Amino acid sequence: QVQLVESGGCLVQPGGSLRLSCAASENIFSFFSMGWYRQAPGKQRELVAVVLNGGFTTYADSVKGRFTISRDNAKNTIDLQMNTLKPEDTAVYYCYVHRSLDYWGQGTQVTVSS
């Protein structure tokens, strides 16, 4: 059973930056894809950013140019750098990885508000 632990969520002002990190219990080389989803109150969970094992990345249109996904193979972490945050970025952010199954973290709350 893969364990994922997210960290870094907090309250931040509009225009601010935040970095989320997801620590995996296994070598991330073993995963075909990994990334971040988010879920705002009353809305469905949506993809934010994904990175494939080969390095290809994809982003939701709403975060392109503001968010950057990266991975640290030595630390087995998947990070999400979020810049120029907007109130509509407020959500619970979930880390996931995919091998034969999808594995999810418990989520970390990001609130963008003045």
Side-chain angles (χ1 to χ4, degrees):
Q1 183 75 12
V2 178
Q3 303 294 324
L4 301 172
V5 179
E6 301 104 330
S7 62
C10 68
L11 172 64
V12 62
Q13 292 188 343
S17 296
L18 207 56
R19 189 175 184 89
L20 304 182
S21 186
C22 173
S25 60
E26 298 183 19
N27 192 320
I28 61 175
F29 271 123
S30 70
F31 304 125
F32 174 74
S33 65
M34 57 211 87
W36 292 87
Y37 277 67
R38 67 186 181 187
Q39 187 166 19
K43 295 187 177 181
Q44 290 188 332
R45 191 174 295 190
E46 63 175 0
L47 180 146
V48 176
V50 172
V51 56
L52 301 184
N53 203 353
F56 176 81
T57 58
T58 188
Y59 297 89
D61 287 342
S62 59
V63 306
K64 281 180 182 176
R66 300 189 297 122
F67 290 12
T68 303
I69 189 170
S70 62
R71 63 186 192 193
D72 188 323
N73 296 331
K75 296 180 180 179
N76 290 323
T77 58
I78 305 120
D79 294 343
L80 185 69
Q81 177 66 42
M82 305 187 294
N83 299 327
T84 320
L85 283 161
K86 304 176 181 179
E88 51 263 43
D89 294 319
T90 295
V92 178
Y93 284 70
Y94 297 91
C95 172
Y96 96 99
V97 296
H98 176 80
R99 194 161 50 202
S100 53
L101 299 172
D102 288 339
Y103 299 91
W104 295 88
Q106 81 287 351
T108 186
Q109 177 70 48
V110 173
T111 302
V112 185
S113 174
S114 55

